[in-house]
Amino acid sequence: EFRCAGFSFNFTMAASATINDDPRLGDIITPGFDGKVVLIGYPYDIGVRINGGRPGAAGAPAAFRRMLKRFGVTYHSATDVDLSIIKITDAGDVPLELSQEDSYKHLTEMVEKVVSKGGIPFVIGGGNDQSYPNACGLMNALDGADRTPTPKIAAINIDAHLDVRPLKDGVPHSGSPFRLLLEDRRFDGSNFIEFAAQSHQCARAHVDYVRHKGGEVNFPPFLRTSGTPQT
C-alpha cells in the first residue's frame, strides 16, 4: 500500500479492478462479415510492380491493423460523435499466394458478400489495381452481372494520378483500374470524378480519355481559387 498526503493506493486491488474508460477504435472491431462497416485486406502489390512502381504495398493491410489498435478513442468530444454505436467488423484478407486473376476474383466475392448483407466494405490495399475488382463486387451486389448501365454508382479518385492507363500486354496494373471501370458498361462515366489530380503527373491523352467518357478532372489550382463545381 502506497500513502502520500493522506491518499492511499493498493496496487494489488487496482490490478484486479481496472476499468477501461478509454476505449480505442481498435477495441470495438470484431471478426466477421456482418458489420455495418467491414474491413477487407488486399495484401498484394503485383499490380504496382507491373506498372513499374515501388513495391511494399502488400504489407499495408497488416500495418493498418497494427496502427488501428493504437488509434484514437471511439468518442469525438468536439462533435459529440460516438463510433462505438457502429458495428465494425474485420473479414480478414484476400488469401495470399493466389494468382493476380484469382486475387481479383476473391476480392470481388468478398466485397459482394459484404454489400449483399447491407454492409459498407472498407478495402485496404495493396496496390490500387484492387479498385476495379472492388467496384465489381459493388456492381455485382447491386445490379448483378447483366452489364446494364446504372446511375446508382459513383466513383471519386483522390489521387495525383488519373489511373486510366491502358493495360500492359492485356494485364491490369495499379495505373489502370479506372480505365477498366470506365470501360465497364454497368458504370456511367458521368458519375466519375478525378479529384486533386496533379497536372504534371497526368498525360494529355489520359485527361482527354476521362473527359471523353463523361468524367470530371479537377486540378488543385482550380480547387484553391474557385472551389469545386457542383456535380
Side-chain angles (χ1 to χ4, degrees), residues 18-51:
T18 301
I19 298 174
N20 183 12
D21 62 350
D22 184 24
R24 301 283 162 156
L25 184 58
D27 296 333
I28 66 173
I29 299 173
T30 57
F33 279 87
D34 58 343
K36 183 61 179 177
V37 177
V38 182
L39 306 183
I40 299 173
Y42 183 74
Y44 286 82
D45 57 15
I46 186 172
V48 178
R49 297 169 187 268
I50 293 172
N51 197 37

Short mmCIF file of all heavy atoms in Angstrom, two decimals, residues 18-51:
data_model
loop_
_atom_site.label_atom_id
_atom_site.label_comp_id
_atom_site.label_asym_id
_atom_site.label_seq_id
_atom_site.Cartn_x
_atom_site.Cartn_y
_atom_site.Cartn_z
N THR A 18 -9.28 -2.92 -12.81
CA THR A 18 -9.05 -1.94 -13.86
C THR A 18 -10.32 -1.67 -14.66
O THR A 18 -11.03 -2.59 -15.05
CB THR A 18 -7.96 -2.45 -14.82
OG1 THR A 18 -6.76 -2.66 -14.08
CG2 THR A 18 -7.69 -1.42 -15.92
N ILE A 19 -10.61 -0.41 -14.90
CA ILE A 19 -11.77 0.00 -15.68
C ILE A 19 -11.29 0.61 -16.99
O ILE A 19 -10.46 1.51 -16.99
CB ILE A 19 -12.63 1.04 -14.91
CG1 ILE A 19 -13.16 0.42 -13.61
CG2 ILE A 19 -13.78 1.53 -15.78
CD1 ILE A 19 -13.88 1.43 -12.73
N ASN A 20 -11.81 0.12 -18.11
CA ASN A 20 -11.42 0.66 -19.41
C ASN A 20 -12.30 1.85 -19.74
O ASN A 20 -13.38 1.72 -20.33
CB ASN A 20 -11.53 -0.41 -20.50
CG ASN A 20 -11.06 0.12 -21.85
OD1 ASN A 20 -10.45 1.18 -21.94
ND2 ASN A 20 -11.34 -0.62 -22.91
N ASP A 21 -11.86 3.05 -19.34
CA ASP A 21 -12.63 4.25 -19.63
C ASP A 21 -12.05 5.00 -20.83
O ASP A 21 -12.39 6.17 -21.06
CB ASP A 21 -12.66 5.17 -18.40
CG ASP A 21 -11.28 5.64 -17.99
OD1 ASP A 21 -10.28 5.12 -18.54
OD2 ASP A 21 -11.18 6.54 -17.13
N ASP A 22 -11.18 4.32 -21.59
CA ASP A 22 -10.51 4.95 -22.72
C ASP A 22 -10.55 3.99 -23.93
O ASP A 22 -9.52 3.63 -24.48
CB ASP A 22 -9.06 5.27 -22.33
CG ASP A 22 -8.32 6.01 -23.40
OD1 ASP A 22 -8.96 6.68 -24.24
OD2 ASP A 22 -7.07 5.92 -23.43
N PRO A 23 -11.75 3.57 -24.36
CA PRO A 23 -11.82 2.60 -25.47
C PRO A 23 -11.31 3.21 -26.77
O PRO A 23 -11.63 4.35 -27.10
CB PRO A 23 -13.32 2.29 -25.55
CG PRO A 23 -14.00 3.48 -24.98
CD PRO A 23 -13.09 3.96 -23.88
N ARG A 24 -10.51 2.43 -27.46
CA ARG A 24 -9.93 2.86 -28.72
C ARG A 24 -10.70 2.23 -29.89
O ARG A 24 -11.42 1.24 -29.72
CB ARG A 24 -8.47 2.45 -28.79
CG ARG A 24 -7.64 3.04 -27.66
CD ARG A 24 -7.33 4.50 -27.93
NE ARG A 24 -6.91 5.23 -26.74
CZ ARG A 24 -6.16 6.34 -26.80
NH1 ARG A 24 -5.75 6.80 -27.96
NH2 ARG A 24 -5.85 6.98 -25.70
N LEU A 25 -10.52 2.80 -31.07
CA LEU A 25 -11.24 2.30 -32.23
C LEU A 25 -10.96 0.82 -32.45
O LEU A 25 -11.86 0.04 -32.76
CB LEU A 25 -10.85 3.11 -33.47
CG LEU A 25 -11.59 2.78 -34.76
CD1 LEU A 25 -13.09 2.94 -34.59
CD2 LEU A 25 -11.09 3.67 -35.90
N GLY A 26 -9.71 0.42 -32.26
CA GLY A 26 -9.37 -0.98 -32.45
C GLY A 26 -10.06 -1.92 -31.48
O GLY A 26 -10.21 -3.10 -31.76
N ASP A 27 -10.52 -1.40 -30.33
CA ASP A 27 -11.16 -2.23 -29.32
C ASP A 27 -12.56 -2.70 -29.71
O ASP A 27 -13.07 -3.67 -29.17
CB ASP A 27 -11.25 -1.48 -27.98
CG ASP A 27 -9.89 -1.15 -27.40
OD1 ASP A 27 -8.93 -1.88 -27.69
OD2 ASP A 27 -9.79 -0.16 -26.65
N ILE A 28 -13.21 -1.96 -30.61
CA ILE A 28 -14.61 -2.28 -30.93
C ILE A 28 -14.75 -3.11 -32.21
O ILE A 28 -15.87 -3.45 -32.60
CB ILE A 28 -15.46 -1.00 -31.05
CG1 ILE A 28 -15.02 -0.16 -32.26
CG2 ILE A 28 -15.38 -0.19 -29.77
CD1 ILE A 28 -15.94 1.02 -32.53
N ILE A 29 -13.63 -3.43 -32.86
CA ILE A 29 -13.70 -4.20 -34.10
C ILE A 29 -13.69 -5.69 -33.79
O ILE A 29 -12.82 -6.18 -33.07
CB ILE A 29 -12.53 -3.84 -35.03
CG1 ILE A 29 -12.59 -2.35 -35.38
CG2 ILE A 29 -12.54 -4.68 -36.30
CD1 ILE A 29 -11.40 -1.84 -36.16
N THR A 30 -14.64 -6.41 -34.36
CA THR A 30 -14.75 -7.85 -34.16
C THR A 30 -14.65 -8.57 -35.50
O THR A 30 -14.89 -7.97 -36.55
CB THR A 30 -16.09 -8.20 -33.48
OG1 THR A 30 -17.17 -7.70 -34.28
CG2 THR A 30 -16.18 -7.59 -32.09
N PRO A 31 -14.31 -9.87 -35.50
CA PRO A 31 -14.18 -10.60 -36.77
C PRO A 31 -15.55 -10.83 -37.42
O PRO A 31 -16.57 -10.91 -36.75
CB PRO A 31 -13.57 -11.94 -36.34
CG PRO A 31 -13.02 -11.71 -34.97
CD PRO A 31 -13.89 -10.67 -34.34
N GLY A 32 -15.54 -10.95 -38.75
CA GLY A 32 -16.77 -11.34 -39.44
C GLY A 32 -17.16 -10.44 -40.59
O GLY A 32 -16.52 -9.41 -40.86
N PHE A 33 -18.23 -10.83 -41.27
CA PHE A 33 -18.76 -10.11 -42.43
C PHE A 33 -20.02 -9.32 -42.10
O PHE A 33 -20.59 -8.69 -42.98
CB PHE A 33 -19.10 -11.10 -43.55
CG PHE A 33 -17.93 -11.54 -44.38
CD1 PHE A 33 -17.16 -12.63 -43.99
CD2 PHE A 33 -17.60 -10.90 -45.56
CE1 PHE A 33 -16.09 -13.07 -44.76
CE2 PHE A 33 -16.53 -11.31 -46.33
CZ PHE A 33 -15.77 -12.41 -45.93
N ASP A 34 -20.48 -9.37 -40.87
CA ASP A 34 -21.82 -8.87 -40.56
C ASP A 34 -21.84 -7.47 -39.95
O ASP A 34 -22.84 -7.05 -39.36
CB ASP A 34 -22.53 -9.83 -39.61
CG ASP A 34 -21.78 -10.04 -38.31
OD1 ASP A 34 -20.58 -9.73 -38.27
OD2 ASP A 34 -22.39 -10.52 -37.35
N GLY A 35 -20.78 -6.69 -40.12
CA GLY A 35 -20.77 -5.34 -39.59
C GLY A 35 -21.44 -4.34 -40.51
O GLY A 35 -21.72 -4.63 -41.68
N LYS A 36 -21.72 -3.17 -39.96
CA LYS A 36 -22.19 -2.07 -40.80
C LYS A 36 -21.04 -1.58 -41.66
O LYS A 36 -21.23 -1.16 -42.81
CB LYS A 36 -22.73 -0.93 -39.93
CG LYS A 36 -23.30 0.23 -40.72
CD LYS A 36 -24.47 -0.22 -41.59
CE LYS A 36 -25.07 0.95 -42.37
NZ LYS A 36 -26.17 0.51 -43.26
N VAL A 37 -19.84 -1.59 -41.09
CA VAL A 37 -18.60 -1.32 -41.83
C VAL A 37 -17.73 -2.56 -41.69
O VAL A 37 -17.55 -3.06 -40.58
CB VAL A 37 -17.88 -0.08 -41.29
CG1 VAL A 37 -16.55 0.12 -42.02
CG2 VAL A 37 -18.76 1.15 -41.41
N VAL A 38 -17.20 -3.05 -42.81
CA VAL A 38 -16.43 -4.30 -42.79
C VAL A 38 -15.07 -4.07 -43.44
O VAL A 38 -14.98 -3.67 -44.61
CB VAL A 38 -17.18 -5.42 -43.53
CG1 VAL A 38 -16.38 -6.72 -43.46
CG2 VAL A 38 -18.58 -5.61 -42.95
N LEU A 39 -14.01 -4.32 -42.68
CA LEU A 39 -12.66 -4.20 -43.21
C LEU A 39 -12.31 -5.42 -44.04
O LEU A 39 -12.61 -6.56 -43.67
CB LEU A 39 -11.65 -4.06 -42.07
CG LEU A 39 -11.88 -2.95 -41.03
CD1 LEU A 39 -10.73 -2.95 -40.03
CD2 LEU A 39 -12.02 -1.61 -41.71
N ILE A 40 -11.64 -5.19 -45.17
CA ILE A 40 -11.14 -6.25 -46.04
C ILE A 40 -9.73 -5.87 -46.46
O ILE A 40 -9.49 -4.76 -46.94
CB ILE A 40 -12.01 -6.43 -47.30
CG1 ILE A 40 -13.45 -6.80 -46.94
CG2 ILE A 40 -11.41 -7.48 -48.23
CD1 ILE A 40 -14.39 -6.82 -48.14
N GLY A 41 -8.79 -6.78 -46.28
CA GLY A 41 -7.41 -6.51 -46.68
C GLY A 41 -7.08 -7.13 -48.02
O GLY A 41 -7.48 -8.26 -48.31
N TYR A 42 -6.34 -6.38 -48.84
CA TYR A 42 -5.85 -6.90 -50.13
C TYR A 42 -4.32 -6.81 -50.11
O TYR A 42 -3.74 -5.82 -50.55
CB TYR A 42 -6.45 -6.10 -51.29
CG TYR A 42 -6.03 -6.64 -52.64
CD1 TYR A 42 -6.58 -7.82 -53.14
CD2 TYR A 42 -5.09 -5.97 -53.42
CE1 TYR A 42 -6.19 -8.32 -54.38
CE2 TYR A 42 -4.70 -6.45 -54.65
CZ TYR A 42 -5.25 -7.63 -55.12
OH TYR A 42 -4.87 -8.13 -56.34
N PRO A 43 -3.64 -7.84 -49.59
CA PRO A 43 -2.19 -7.77 -49.38
C PRO A 43 -1.37 -8.15 -50.62
O PRO A 43 -0.55 -9.07 -50.59
CB PRO A 43 -1.98 -8.78 -48.24
CG PRO A 43 -3.03 -9.82 -48.49
CD PRO A 43 -4.22 -9.08 -49.04
N TYR A 44 -1.62 -7.45 -51.71
CA TYR A 44 -0.92 -7.72 -52.97
C TYR A 44 -0.41 -6.41 -53.56
O TYR A 44 -1.10 -5.38 -53.50
CB TYR A 44 -1.87 -8.36 -53.99
CG TYR A 44 -2.20 -9.81 -53.71
CD1 TYR A 44 -3.19 -10.14 -52.79
CD2 TYR A 44 -1.54 -10.84 -54.38
CE1 TYR A 44 -3.50 -11.47 -52.54
CE2 TYR A 44 -1.86 -12.16 -54.13
CZ TYR A 44 -2.83 -12.48 -53.21
OH TYR A 44 -3.13 -13.79 -52.96
N ASP A 45 0.79 -6.45 -54.14
CA ASP A 45 1.28 -5.28 -54.86
C ASP A 45 1.85 -5.66 -56.23
O ASP A 45 2.65 -4.93 -56.81
CB ASP A 45 2.32 -4.51 -54.05
CG ASP A 45 3.51 -5.34 -53.61
OD1 ASP A 45 3.71 -6.46 -54.16
OD2 ASP A 45 4.26 -4.89 -52.73
N ILE A 46 1.38 -6.80 -56.77
CA ILE A 46 1.86 -7.21 -58.08
C ILE A 46 1.48 -6.18 -59.14
O ILE A 46 2.23 -5.94 -60.10
CB ILE A 46 1.32 -8.61 -58.46
CG1 ILE A 46 1.95 -9.08 -59.78
CG2 ILE A 46 -0.20 -8.63 -58.51
CD1 ILE A 46 1.64 -10.52 -60.12
N GLY A 47 0.32 -5.54 -58.99
CA GLY A 47 -0.08 -4.51 -59.95
C GLY A 47 0.85 -3.32 -59.92
O GLY A 47 1.08 -2.68 -60.96
N VAL A 48 1.39 -3.00 -58.76
CA VAL A 48 2.37 -1.92 -58.62
C VAL A 48 3.64 -2.30 -59.36
O VAL A 48 4.23 -1.48 -60.09
CB VAL A 48 2.67 -1.65 -57.14
CG1 VAL A 48 3.73 -0.56 -57.00
CG2 VAL A 48 1.40 -1.26 -56.40
N ARG A 49 4.07 -3.53 -59.19
CA ARG A 49 5.29 -4.00 -59.85
C ARG A 49 5.14 -3.97 -61.37
O ARG A 49 6.06 -3.56 -62.09
CB ARG A 49 5.63 -5.41 -59.38
CG ARG A 49 5.93 -5.50 -57.88
CD ARG A 49 5.99 -6.96 -57.43
NE ARG A 49 6.11 -7.09 -55.99
CZ ARG A 49 7.27 -7.19 -55.34
NH1 ARG A 49 8.40 -7.18 -56.02
NH2 ARG A 49 7.30 -7.29 -54.03
N ILE A 50 3.98 -4.42 -61.86
CA ILE A 50 3.74 -4.43 -63.30
C ILE A 50 3.80 -3.01 -63.87
O ILE A 50 4.29 -2.78 -64.99
CB ILE A 50 2.37 -5.07 -63.62
CG1 ILE A 50 2.41 -6.56 -63.27
CG2 ILE A 50 2.00 -4.89 -65.09
CD1 ILE A 50 1.05 -7.24 -63.36
N ASN A 51 3.35 -2.04 -63.08
CA ASN A 51 3.33 -0.65 -63.52
C ASN A 51 4.65 0.06 -63.29
O ASN A 51 4.77 1.26 -63.55
CB ASN A 51 2.21 0.10 -62.78
CG ASN A 51 1.84 1.41 -63.44
OD1 ASN A 51 1.84 1.52 -64.66
ND2 ASN A 51 1.50 2.41 -62.63
#
